[in-house]
Amino acid sequence: FLRLYLFIRERTSKLGIKATSVYNGKGGLIDDIALIRDDDVLFVCEGEPFIDPQTDSKLPEGLSGSHTDWLTLNVGGRYFTTTRSTLVNKEPDSMLAHMFKDKGVWGNKQDHRGAFLIDRSPEYFEPILNYLRHGQLIVNDGINLLGVLEEARFFGIDSLIEHLEVAIKNSQPPEDHSPISRKEFVRFLLATPTKSELRCQGLNFSGADLSRLDLRYINFKMANLSRCNLAHANLCCANLERADLSGSVLDCANLQGVKMLCSNAEGASLKLCNFEDPSGLKANLEGANLKGVDMEGSQMTGINLRVATLKNAKLKNCNLRGATLAGTDLENCDLSGCDLQEANLRGSNVKGAIFEEMLTPLHMSQSVR
Protein backbone atom coordinates (compact mmCIF):
# COMPACT_ATOMS: atom_id res chain seq x y z
CA PHE A 1 0.00 0.00 0.00
CA LEU A 2 2.85 2.35 0.86
CA ARG A 3 4.46 1.67 -2.49
CA LEU A 4 1.14 2.41 -4.27
CA TYR A 5 0.79 5.65 -2.29
CA LEU A 6 4.28 6.74 -3.32
CA PHE A 7 3.53 5.80 -6.92
CA ILE A 8 0.34 7.93 -6.93
CA ARG A 9 2.14 10.81 -5.24
CA GLU A 10 4.88 10.73 -7.85
CA ARG A 11 2.32 10.81 -10.70
CA THR A 12 0.46 13.64 -8.95
CA SER A 13 3.61 15.74 -8.94
CA LYS A 14 4.35 15.05 -12.61
CA LEU A 15 0.80 15.59 -13.90
CA GLY A 16 -0.03 18.56 -11.70
CA ILE A 17 -3.24 16.98 -10.33
CA LYS A 18 -4.39 15.64 -6.96
CA ALA A 19 -4.58 11.98 -7.96
CA THR A 20 -6.40 9.55 -5.65
CA SER A 21 -7.01 6.46 -7.85
CA VAL A 22 -5.24 4.39 -10.53
CA TYR A 23 -7.09 2.27 -13.13
CA ASN A 24 -5.76 -0.22 -15.66
CA GLY A 25 -6.74 -0.12 -19.34
CA LYS A 26 -9.90 -2.15 -18.70
CA GLY A 27 -11.11 0.07 -15.90
CA GLY A 28 -9.93 -2.12 -13.06
CA LEU A 29 -9.06 -0.26 -9.86
CA ILE A 30 -5.45 -1.01 -8.87
CA ASP A 31 -4.96 -1.33 -5.11
CA ASP A 32 -1.55 -3.06 -5.25
CA ILE A 33 1.47 -1.85 -7.22
CA ALA A 34 2.51 -5.47 -7.76
CA LEU A 35 -0.45 -5.84 -10.14
CA ILE A 36 1.07 -3.31 -12.56
CA ARG A 37 2.88 -4.79 -15.58
CA ASP A 38 5.46 -2.99 -17.66
CA ASP A 39 3.22 -2.75 -20.75
CA ASP A 40 0.07 -1.67 -18.87
CA VAL A 41 -1.76 1.55 -19.85
CA LEU A 42 -2.70 3.30 -16.63
CA PHE A 43 -5.31 5.94 -15.95
CA VAL A 44 -4.79 8.28 -13.01
CA CYS A 45 -7.77 10.33 -11.77
CA GLU A 46 -8.94 12.53 -8.93
CA GLY A 47 -11.79 10.24 -7.94
CA GLU A 48 -14.19 10.52 -10.86
CA PRO A 49 -15.52 7.26 -12.35
CA PHE A 50 -13.45 5.52 -15.06
CA ILE A 51 -14.49 6.23 -18.67
CA ASP A 52 -12.87 4.17 -21.39
CA PRO A 53 -11.80 6.59 -24.17
CA GLN A 54 -11.89 3.76 -26.74
CA THR A 55 -15.58 3.00 -26.19
CA ASP A 56 -16.61 6.54 -25.30
CA SER A 57 -14.92 8.51 -28.04
CA LYS A 58 -17.32 11.40 -27.49
CA LEU A 59 -17.82 12.18 -23.84
CA PRO A 60 -21.06 13.68 -22.61
CA GLU A 61 -21.06 17.48 -22.49
CA GLY A 62 -19.77 18.71 -19.16
CA LEU A 63 -17.71 15.54 -18.51
CA SER A 64 -14.69 16.30 -20.64
CA GLY A 65 -11.21 16.51 -19.14
CA SER A 66 -10.78 18.40 -15.93
CA HIS A 67 -14.17 20.08 -16.23
CA THR A 68 -16.02 17.18 -14.64
CA ASP A 69 -15.15 17.83 -10.99
CA TRP A 70 -17.33 19.48 -8.44
CA LEU A 71 -16.02 22.33 -6.33
CA THR A 72 -17.21 24.63 -3.56
CA LEU A 73 -16.89 28.40 -3.48
CA ASN A 74 -16.84 30.53 -0.35
CA VAL A 75 -18.19 33.87 -1.57
CA GLY A 76 -18.20 36.43 1.22
CA GLY A 77 -18.83 33.72 3.82
CA ARG A 78 -21.60 31.91 1.91
CA TYR A 79 -20.97 28.52 0.27
CA PHE A 80 -21.91 27.66 -3.32
CA THR A 81 -21.38 24.18 -4.82
CA THR A 82 -21.06 23.97 -8.58
CA THR A 83 -18.97 22.34 -11.30
CA ARG A 84 -15.91 23.65 -13.01
CA SER A 85 -17.69 23.38 -16.38
CA THR A 86 -20.45 25.72 -15.15
CA LEU A 87 -17.87 28.38 -14.38
CA VAL A 88 -15.93 27.85 -17.61
CA ASN A 89 -18.14 26.77 -20.52
CA LYS A 90 -20.74 29.52 -20.97
CA GLU A 91 -18.38 32.50 -20.74
CA PRO A 92 -14.93 31.08 -21.59
CA ASP A 93 -13.33 34.53 -21.76
CA SER A 94 -14.65 35.74 -18.41
CA MET A 95 -12.59 36.28 -15.30
CA LEU A 96 -14.37 33.35 -13.61
CA ALA A 97 -13.46 31.05 -16.48
CA HIS A 98 -9.81 32.02 -16.30
CA MET A 99 -9.85 31.50 -12.53
CA PHE A 100 -11.02 27.88 -12.81
CA LYS A 101 -9.85 26.61 -16.20
CA ASP A 102 -6.83 24.88 -14.66
CA LYS A 103 -6.90 22.98 -11.42
CA GLY A 104 -4.86 24.33 -8.58
CA VAL A 105 -4.92 27.87 -9.99
CA TRP A 106 -5.97 29.22 -6.61
CA GLY A 107 -3.07 27.60 -4.78
CA ASN A 108 -3.67 28.00 -1.07
CA LYS A 109 -6.59 30.43 -1.41
CA GLN A 110 -8.97 28.00 0.22
CA ASP A 111 -10.65 28.01 3.60
CA HIS A 112 -10.46 25.25 6.21
CA ARG A 113 -13.17 23.29 4.39
CA GLY A 114 -11.33 23.41 1.06
CA ALA A 115 -13.72 25.95 -0.49
CA PHE A 116 -12.21 28.50 -2.85
CA LEU A 117 -12.31 31.97 -1.30
CA ILE A 118 -13.85 34.85 -3.27
CA ASP A 119 -14.18 38.18 -1.51
CA ARG A 120 -17.39 39.42 -3.15
CA SER A 121 -21.06 39.86 -2.22
CA PRO A 122 -22.89 36.49 -2.09
CA GLU A 123 -26.35 37.98 -2.75
CA TYR A 124 -25.12 39.51 -6.02
CA PHE A 125 -23.07 36.43 -6.96
CA GLU A 126 -26.03 34.01 -6.76
CA PRO A 127 -27.89 35.41 -9.84
CA ILE A 128 -24.60 35.30 -11.76
CA LEU A 129 -24.00 31.63 -10.90
CA ASN A 130 -27.59 30.73 -11.84
CA TYR A 131 -27.17 32.55 -15.15
CA LEU A 132 -24.05 30.49 -15.88
CA ARG A 133 -26.04 27.33 -15.05
CA HIS A 134 -29.10 27.83 -17.25
CA GLY A 135 -28.65 31.09 -19.20
CA GLN A 136 -31.59 32.90 -17.61
CA LEU A 137 -31.43 36.11 -15.57
CA ILE A 138 -33.44 35.48 -12.41
CA VAL A 139 -33.11 37.95 -9.55
CA ASN A 140 -35.03 37.54 -6.30
CA ASP A 141 -37.12 40.39 -4.90
CA GLY A 142 -35.14 42.86 -2.87
CA ILE A 143 -31.89 42.32 -4.79
CA ASN A 144 -30.56 45.52 -6.35
CA LEU A 145 -29.97 45.01 -10.05
CA LEU A 146 -27.23 47.63 -9.98
CA GLY A 147 -25.31 45.46 -7.50
CA VAL A 148 -25.64 42.41 -9.75
CA LEU A 149 -24.51 44.51 -12.72
CA GLU A 150 -21.40 45.61 -10.84
CA GLU A 151 -20.54 41.98 -10.02
CA ALA A 152 -21.15 40.92 -13.62
CA ARG A 153 -18.71 43.59 -14.76
CA PHE A 154 -16.18 42.50 -12.14
CA PHE A 155 -16.30 38.87 -13.26
CA GLY A 156 -16.44 39.81 -16.96
CA ILE A 157 -19.75 38.09 -17.78
CA ASP A 158 -20.36 40.14 -20.92
CA SER A 159 -23.62 38.56 -22.11
CA LEU A 160 -25.14 38.99 -18.64
CA ILE A 161 -24.12 42.65 -18.57
CA GLU A 162 -26.32 43.29 -21.62
CA HIS A 163 -29.31 41.52 -19.99
CA LEU A 164 -28.88 43.50 -16.78
CA GLU A 165 -28.62 46.87 -18.53
CA VAL A 166 -31.90 46.18 -20.35
CA ALA A 167 -33.57 44.99 -17.12
CA ILE A 168 -32.44 48.09 -15.24
CA LYS A 169 -33.67 50.39 -18.00
CA ASN A 170 -37.07 48.65 -18.05
CA SER A 171 -37.38 48.86 -14.26
CA GLN A 172 -36.94 52.65 -14.19
CA PRO A 173 -40.18 54.66 -13.99
CA PRO A 174 -40.80 56.72 -17.14
CA GLU A 175 -39.64 60.31 -16.89
CA ASP A 176 -42.51 62.68 -16.22
CA HIS A 177 -42.25 65.68 -18.53
CA SER A 178 -45.81 66.86 -17.94
CA PRO A 179 -46.20 70.53 -17.00
CA ILE A 180 -46.47 71.54 -13.35
CA SER A 181 -49.99 72.65 -12.49
CA ARG A 182 -50.97 75.72 -10.44
CA LYS A 183 -52.14 73.49 -7.58
CA GLU A 184 -48.83 71.60 -7.46
CA PHE A 185 -46.80 74.80 -7.59
CA VAL A 186 -48.83 76.57 -4.89
CA ARG A 187 -48.36 73.54 -2.64
CA PHE A 188 -44.64 73.75 -3.37
CA LEU A 189 -44.57 77.46 -2.53
CA LEU A 190 -46.39 76.96 0.77
CA ALA A 191 -43.98 74.19 1.80
CA THR A 192 -40.90 76.36 1.18
CA PRO A 193 -39.62 78.59 4.01
CA THR A 194 -39.88 82.28 3.21
CA LYS A 195 -36.13 82.92 3.50
CA SER A 196 -35.13 79.93 1.36
CA GLU A 197 -33.99 80.41 -2.22
CA LEU A 198 -36.54 78.83 -4.52
CA ARG A 199 -34.94 77.28 -7.61
CA CYS A 200 -37.20 76.27 -10.50
CA GLN A 201 -34.48 76.04 -13.13
CA GLY A 202 -35.48 74.16 -16.25
CA LEU A 203 -38.91 73.14 -14.93
CA ASN A 204 -41.89 72.82 -17.25
CA PHE A 205 -44.79 75.19 -16.44
CA SER A 206 -46.09 75.27 -20.00
CA GLY A 207 -49.70 76.55 -20.11
CA ALA A 208 -49.98 76.86 -16.31
CA ASP A 209 -52.10 79.51 -14.61
CA LEU A 210 -49.68 81.38 -12.33
CA SER A 211 -51.61 84.63 -12.31
CA ARG A 212 -51.57 86.85 -9.20
CA LEU A 213 -48.99 84.66 -7.42
CA ASP A 214 -46.09 86.07 -5.41
CA LEU A 215 -43.08 84.85 -7.41
CA ARG A 216 -40.50 87.34 -6.16
CA TYR A 217 -36.82 86.31 -6.33
CA ILE A 218 -37.62 82.84 -7.73
CA ASN A 219 -35.03 81.37 -10.10
CA PHE A 220 -36.83 80.40 -13.34
CA LYS A 221 -33.65 80.21 -15.40
CA MET A 222 -34.22 78.16 -18.58
CA ALA A 223 -37.72 77.21 -17.39
CA ASN A 224 -40.53 76.55 -19.85
CA LEU A 225 -43.18 79.21 -19.17
CA SER A 226 -44.63 79.26 -22.67
CA ARG A 227 -48.33 80.13 -22.91
CA CYS A 228 -48.48 80.70 -19.14
CA ASN A 229 -50.92 83.10 -17.52
CA LEU A 230 -48.75 85.39 -15.37
CA ALA A 231 -51.11 88.36 -15.35
CA HIS A 232 -50.81 90.48 -12.17
CA ALA A 233 -48.05 88.15 -10.89
CA ASN A 234 -45.28 89.63 -8.73
CA LEU A 235 -42.02 88.72 -10.47
CA CYS A 236 -39.92 91.37 -8.75
CA CYS A 237 -36.20 90.45 -9.08
CA ALA A 238 -37.09 87.03 -10.49
CA ASN A 239 -34.49 85.33 -12.70
CA LEU A 240 -35.99 84.53 -16.11
CA GLU A 241 -32.69 84.25 -17.96
CA ARG A 242 -33.06 82.10 -21.10
CA ALA A 243 -36.59 81.18 -20.02
CA ASP A 244 -39.24 80.46 -22.65
CA LEU A 245 -42.10 82.96 -22.22
CA SER A 246 -43.37 82.74 -25.78
CA GLY A 247 -47.08 83.38 -26.08
CA SER A 248 -47.45 84.06 -22.34
CA VAL A 249 -49.67 86.70 -20.78
CA LEU A 250 -47.92 88.98 -18.28
CA ASP A 251 -50.34 91.92 -18.36
CA CYS A 252 -50.04 94.20 -15.30
CA ALA A 253 -47.23 92.01 -13.85
CA ASN A 254 -44.67 93.52 -11.48
CA LEU A 255 -41.30 93.07 -13.21
CA GLN A 256 -39.17 95.42 -11.13
CA GLY A 257 -35.51 94.44 -11.36
CA VAL A 258 -36.34 91.30 -13.34
CA LYS A 259 -33.55 89.43 -15.16
CA MET A 260 -34.65 88.31 -18.62
CA LEU A 261 -31.32 88.08 -20.43
CA CYS A 262 -31.64 86.15 -23.71
CA SER A 263 -35.14 85.03 -22.77
CA ASN A 264 -37.69 84.18 -25.47
CA ALA A 265 -40.90 86.17 -25.07
CA GLU A 266 -41.91 86.20 -28.72
CA GLY A 267 -45.60 86.99 -29.14
CA ALA A 268 -46.13 87.54 -25.39
CA SER A 269 -48.42 90.17 -23.92
CA LEU A 270 -46.80 92.53 -21.39
CA LYS A 271 -49.30 95.39 -21.37
CA LEU A 272 -49.20 97.85 -18.46
CA CYS A 273 -46.28 96.03 -16.80
CA ASN A 274 -44.07 97.78 -14.28
CA PHE A 275 -40.32 97.40 -14.87
CA GLU A 276 -39.45 100.57 -12.94
CA ASP A 277 -37.83 100.03 -9.53
CA PRO A 278 -37.93 103.13 -7.27
CA SER A 279 -34.74 101.90 -5.54
CA GLY A 280 -32.83 102.21 -8.81
CA LEU A 281 -32.51 98.49 -9.62
CA LYS A 282 -32.98 98.26 -13.37
CA ALA A 283 -34.70 95.46 -15.26
CA ASN A 284 -32.33 93.62 -17.61
CA LEU A 285 -33.73 92.27 -20.89
CA GLU A 286 -30.46 92.36 -22.82
CA GLY A 287 -30.50 90.11 -25.87
CA ALA A 288 -34.09 89.04 -25.28
CA ASN A 289 -36.33 87.93 -28.15
CA LEU A 290 -39.36 90.23 -27.92
CA LYS A 291 -40.62 89.91 -31.48
CA GLY A 292 -44.24 90.91 -31.77
CA VAL A 293 -44.74 91.56 -28.04
CA ASP A 294 -47.42 93.94 -26.85
CA MET A 295 -45.92 96.16 -24.14
CA GLU A 296 -48.32 99.07 -24.50
CA GLY A 297 -48.42 101.43 -21.54
CA SER A 298 -45.62 99.70 -19.59
CA GLN A 299 -43.32 101.60 -17.23
CA MET A 300 -39.74 100.89 -18.37
CA THR A 301 -37.61 103.75 -17.07
CA GLY A 302 -33.92 102.85 -17.29
CA ILE A 303 -34.63 99.37 -18.68
CA ASN A 304 -31.77 97.53 -20.44
CA LEU A 305 -32.92 96.36 -23.88
CA ARG A 306 -29.46 96.34 -25.43
CA VAL A 307 -29.27 94.19 -28.62
CA ALA A 308 -32.76 92.87 -27.89
CA THR A 309 -35.09 92.03 -30.79
CA LEU A 310 -38.32 94.06 -30.73
CA LYS A 311 -39.29 93.69 -34.38
CA ASN A 312 -43.04 94.39 -34.91
CA ALA A 313 -43.49 95.02 -31.17
CA LYS A 314 -46.14 97.38 -29.81
CA LEU A 315 -44.57 99.90 -27.45
CA LYS A 316 -47.22 102.56 -27.68
CA ASN A 317 -47.31 105.03 -24.76
CA CYS A 318 -44.45 103.25 -22.95
CA ASN A 319 -42.16 105.14 -20.60
CA LEU A 320 -38.66 104.43 -21.93
CA ARG A 321 -36.97 107.41 -20.28
CA GLY A 322 -33.23 106.69 -19.91
CA ALA A 323 -33.63 103.21 -21.46
CA THR A 324 -30.67 101.45 -23.08
CA LEU A 325 -31.70 100.58 -26.63
CA ALA A 326 -28.21 100.43 -28.17
CA GLY A 327 -28.08 97.91 -31.00
CA THR A 328 -31.74 97.04 -30.48
CA ASP A 329 -33.84 95.90 -33.43
CA LEU A 330 -36.87 98.22 -33.42
CA GLU A 331 -37.92 97.52 -37.01
CA ASN A 332 -41.62 98.24 -37.60
CA CYS A 333 -42.16 98.94 -33.89
CA ASP A 334 -45.00 101.20 -32.80
CA LEU A 335 -43.28 103.75 -30.54
CA SER A 336 -45.98 106.39 -30.78
CA GLY A 337 -46.55 108.29 -27.56
CA CYS A 338 -43.36 106.89 -25.96
CA ASP A 339 -41.15 108.90 -23.62
CA LEU A 340 -37.65 108.36 -25.00
CA GLN A 341 -35.95 111.23 -23.18
CA GLU A 342 -32.27 110.38 -22.49
CA ALA A 343 -32.74 106.95 -24.09
CA ASN A 344 -29.65 105.45 -25.76
CA LEU A 345 -30.58 104.47 -29.31
CA ARG A 346 -27.03 104.30 -30.64
CA GLY A 347 -26.76 101.71 -33.41
CA SER A 348 -30.40 100.64 -33.11
CA ASN A 349 -32.47 99.65 -36.15
CA VAL A 350 -35.57 101.85 -36.40
CA LYS A 351 -36.46 101.02 -40.00
CA GLY A 352 -40.21 101.38 -40.43
CA ALA A 353 -40.69 102.32 -36.77
CA ILE A 354 -43.57 104.69 -35.89
CA PHE A 355 -42.56 107.70 -33.78
CA GLU A 356 -45.66 109.89 -34.16
CA GLU A 357 -46.90 111.68 -31.06
CA MET A 358 -43.63 110.98 -29.14
CA LEU A 359 -43.62 112.83 -25.85
CA THR A 360 -39.91 113.68 -26.33
CA PRO A 361 -38.32 113.99 -29.79
CA LEU A 362 -35.10 112.16 -30.56
CA HIS A 363 -31.96 114.25 -30.25
CA MET A 364 -29.84 114.51 -33.39
CA SER A 365 -26.81 113.30 -31.39
CA GLN A 366 -28.42 109.92 -30.95
CA SER A 367 -27.19 107.71 -33.79
CA VAL A 368 -29.78 105.33 -35.16
CA ARG A 369 -30.00 103.13 -38.24
Side-chain angles (χ1 to χ4, degrees):
F1 178 83
L2 179 59
R3 292 173 62 194
L4 178 62
Y5 170 78
L6 294 174
F7 175 85
I8 293 176
R9 184 174 178 181
E10 181 184 356
R11 298 306 181 272
T12 296
S13 177
K14 288 184 177 180
L15 297 174
I17 63 173
K18 297 179 181 179
T20 59
S21 305
V22 180
Y23 295 90
N24 61 26
K26 296 182 179 180
L29 180 63
I30 296 176
D31 56 3
D32 188 349
I33 196 170
L35 299 176
I36 301 175
R37 295 193 300 269
D38 292 339
D39 57 347
D40 274 346
V41 176
L42 302 179
F43 295 89
V44 182
C45 67
E46 291 185 332
E48 61 267 30
F50 174 80
I51 299 176
D52 189 348
Q54 294 181 351
T55 57
D56 296 86
S57 58
K58 185 177 179 181
L59 300 179
E61 185 179 355
L63 291 178
S64 58
S66 63
H67 293 176
T68 60
D69 55 317
W70 288 84
L71 49 83
T72 301
L73 308 178
N74 181 345
V75 182
R78 182 174 164 189
Y79 289 92
F80 296 88
T81 300
T82 185
T83 63
R84 201 177 298 269
S85 60
T86 296
L87 302 176
V88 172
N89 289 353
K90 185 170 181 60
E91 288 279 344
D93 295 325
S94 69
M95 177 180 172
L96 268 178
H98 288 297
M99 288 162 60
F100 292 99
K101 270 182 181 177
D102 300 315
K103 298 182 181 182
V105 70
W106 277 92
N108 60 355
K109 295 180 181 179
Q110 295 173 267
D111 65 9
H112 64 285
R113 294 172 55 179
F116 295 103
L117 290 164
I118 299 178
D119 185 20
R120 303 299 293 183
S121 169
E123 66 175 356
Y124 298 144
F125 181 78
E126 183 176 13
I128 292 175
L129 181 57
N130 285 332
Y131 174 78
L132 294 175
R133 286 168 171 160
H134 46 61
Q136 298 294 320
L137 173 60
I138 300 174
V139 181
N140 294 332
D141 292 339
I143 302 298
N144 193 331
L145 287 174
L146 290 173
V148 182
L149 175 60
E150 184 61 30
E151 293 301 286
R153 287 172 175 163
F154 175 80
F155 288 114
I157 316 296
D158 292 338
S159 60
L160 179 56
I161 291 173
E162 297 174 10
H163 285 297
L164 284 164
E165 288 175 341
V166 171
I168 290 171
K169 183 178 180 179
N170 293 337
S171 67
Q172 299 296 323
E175 293 185 18
D176 186 6
H177 296 291
S178 59
I180 298 171
S181 67
R182 179 186 179 92
K183 184 177 181 180
E184 290 172 324
F185 191 52
V186 169
R187 188 184 299 119
F188 181 45
L189 291 174
L190 293 174
T192 305
T194 307
K195 295 183 179 180
S196 298
E197 180 186 6
L198 198 57
R199 303 183 67 178
C200 299
Q201 289 179 252
L203 296 183
N204 184 8
F205 296 91
S206 179
D209 180 8
L210 304 178
S211 61
R212 301 182 183 275
L213 292 179
D214 186 356
L215 306 174
R216 290 175 295 173
Y217 302 100
I218 295 179
N219 187 347
F220 288 108
K221 187 175 181 180
M222 295 183 288
N224 182 359
L225 293 157
S226 62
R227 298 177 287 102
C228 279
N229 182 3
L230 289 157
H232 298 276
N234 187 356
L235 285 157
C236 175
C237 296
N239 186 353
L240 292 162
E241 184 178 345
R242 300 184 184 277
D244 184 0
L245 291 154
S246 57
S248 293
V249 176
L250 292 95
D251 296 343
C252 302
N254 181 9
L255 296 166
Q256 294 176 345
V258 71
K259 295 179 182 179
M260 292 177 60
L261 286 82
C262 302
S263 60
N264 175 25
E266 185 171 351
S269 178
L270 292 94
K271 292 184 291 187
L272 301 173
C273 287
N274 181 26
F275 291 87
E276 185 178 352
D277 189 352
S279 67
L281 186 63
K282 298 178 181 179
N284 191 349
L285 281 74
E286 184 172 330
N289 176 14
L290 300 166
K291 288 182 181 179
V293 298
D294 187 351
M295 304 177 79
E296 184 175 347
S298 291
Q299 296 295 318
M300 295 187 282
T301 301
I303 192 171
N304 181 5
L305 286 164
R306 183 176 175 275
V307 297
T309 301
L310 285 150
K311 188 175 182 179
N312 300 319
K314 297 177 182 178
L315 299 168
K316 190 174 181 179
N317 299 323
C318 285
N319 182 358
L320 287 163
R321 183 183 292 259
T324 300
L325 295 162
T328 303
D329 185 0
L330 296 167
E331 185 177 347
N332 297 326
C333 279
D334 184 355
L335 291 158
S336 58
C338 285
D339 184 354
L340 288 163
Q341 185 175 346
E342 300 178 2
N344 180 3
L345 288 156
R346 189 177 302 277
S348 61
N349 177 20
V350 294
K351 181 181 178 181
I354 301 172
F355 290 96
E356 287 86 355
E357 303 176 10
M358 283 195 306
L359 297 179
T360 303
L362 289 173
H363 298 292
M364 294 301 293
S365 60
Q366 293 172 316
S367 176
V368 297
R369 290 186 283 117

